[in-house]
Amino acid sequence: MNFFAVIPSEVEESRGATEGQFRGVPRLRFASLGMTGNRTLTILFSLALGIATVAYAQSDPDFTKANQEYAQGHFKEAISGYEALVRAGQWSANLFYDLGNAYFRTGDFGHAILNYERALALERHHPEATANLQIARDEARALELQQSWPERYLQFASVNQYCIAAAIAFWLAVFAIVMLIFARRRSGALIAALILCLLVGAGAIYAIYTLEGGSNGSALAIVTGKDVQARLATADTANSVLALPPGSEVKILSTRGDWIYAALPNTLRGWIPAKDAEQVRL
């Protein structure tokens, strides 16, 4: 028995060394994979939901139209289509990835990097977005925030995964406490399990706090304007602290009118016009 699997392919490479490495909006082709025996039913059952989800996402007429505009080289029209979907709240990692590709093709590296970051915020393991993000950063010479050593070690899991771990540890600890209260004898194994659950829960909470408040946390923003200068005060005539190429990372600390006060990649702080930077998390 045969079934069809969806396999992504890359958009045709355009001119230039950088664009030769660049991964464009994926198109779909079909490849027949032969499967026999009872394993077929098991695989079909386990993959049915995922295949149906992909098919539904690709069937959206607005998304399909935007992809067609991109494939025809109408990048500004594609951007308009993708942005309309974003404003409608139809967020997905692939939508932001495609939007980043369209901005990249127009040479707007700031918005390209912003949307690659948004794709990775929704789906940490998105290899195409990761690869294109690095290419865009290299092209724009964008500056990155320095990560603390706890952030680097804790990034093997996402904030959502740490939240799940903390919730599981909490309820297991509650169960262990109830068992200890009603047990005739206090089991050493049960006490050890309770201590372990408390440690795991505390570690997960620490990881959530560290990642959310770190360089890639909820306050992360991307410089989207050109010739942006971080300044010592909220005035265009104030002394410059640092020149920020498009796509550079900053961490928003506070806002004042049309200015934001941000932590900068050089570990200093400065004021940036609010119109020239956008938060990664919507």
Side-chain angles (χ1 to χ4, degrees):
M1 181 182 293
N2 295 327
F3 71 94
F4 292 105
V6 180
I7 302 176
S9 65
E10 299 176 358
V11 169
E12 183 180 356
E13 296 180 351
S14 60
R15 297 178 181 178
T18 299
E19 293 190 353
Q21 304 173 31
F22 182 79
R23 298 174 182 266
V25 174
R27 303 173 184 172
L28 297 178
R29 68 173 184 266
F30 294 91
S32 177
L33 302 180
M35 301 297 297
T36 59
N38 294 331
R39 293 178 58 195
T40 302
L41 291 177
T42 304
I43 294 175
L44 286 175
F45 178 78
S46 62
L47 295 180
L49 180 59
I51 294 175
T53 302
V54 172
Y56 176 80
Q58 295 296 328
S59 67
D60 185 287
D62 295 329
F63 186 70
T64 301
K65 182 180 179 181
N67 281 343
Q68 289 173 348
E69 295 285 3
Y70 181 97
Q72 294 170 7
H74 305 153
F75 302 124
K76 291 184 178 180
E77 291 79 2
I79 289 171
S80 297
Y82 294 138
E83 290 284 10
L85 292 172
V86 172
R87 289 192 297 271
Q90 300 183 30
W91 302 340
S92 70
N94 286 335
L95 172 60
F96 287 117
Y97 167 68
D98 291 343
L99 181 55
N101 289 342
Y103 274 119
F104 185 98
R105 294 297 188 180
T106 64
D108 188 341
F109 298 120
H111 282 96
I113 290 171
L114 171 66
N115 284 284
Y116 291 143
E117 290 277 15
R118 286 175 173 172
L120 292 171
L122 292 177
E123 185 180 325
R124 286 191 74 247
H125 302 291
H126 194 298
E128 293 86 359
T130 301
N132 286 4
L133 173 61
Q134 189 58 54
I135 293 172
R137 279 176 175 165
D138 292 342
E139 281 293 297
R141 297 182 179 179
L143 305 178
E144 299 178 55
L145 291 169
Q146 296 181 1
Q147 294 182 343
S148 62
W149 69 266
E151 284 183 82
R152 291 194 295 270
Y153 286 103
L154 292 172
Q155 281 188 344
F156 68 89
S158 66
V159 171
N160 288 339
Q161 290 171 327
Y162 282 120
C163 288
I164 293 172
I168 292 174
F170 171 78
W171 287 111
L172 288 177
V174 170
F175 177 76
I177 291 172
V178 172
M179 291 291 293
L180 286 172
I181 292 174
F182 291 99
R184 294 183 179 180
R185 282 185 169 184
R186 293 189 176 181
S187 168
L190 197 58
I191 294 174
L194 173 60
I195 294 173
L196 177 62
C197 289
L198 293 175
L199 291 175
V200 170
I205 292 172
Y206 171 76
I208 294 169
Y209 174 80
T210 301
L211 294 177
E212 281 295 293
S215 60
N216 289 323
S218 57
L220 175 65
I222 301 298
V223 174
T224 54
K226 295 181 179 180
D227 301 321
V228 177
Q229 299 284 336
R231 301 186 181 277
L232 291 175
T234 57
D236 292 330
T237 56
N239 290 337
S240 175
V241 177
L242 180 68
L244 296 168
S248 296
E249 295 179 340
V250 297
K251 179 182 176 182
I252 297 176
L253 302 176
S254 63
T255 59
R256 181 187 297 173
D258 295 332
W259 294 79
I260 59 175
Y261 187 57
L264 307 175
N266 62 350
T267 69
L268 297 177
R269 298 183 178 186
W271 293 93
I272 303 169
K275 62 181 178 61
D276 290 330
E278 293 187 42
Q279 278 189 263
V280 170
R281 298 193 189 179
L282 296 171

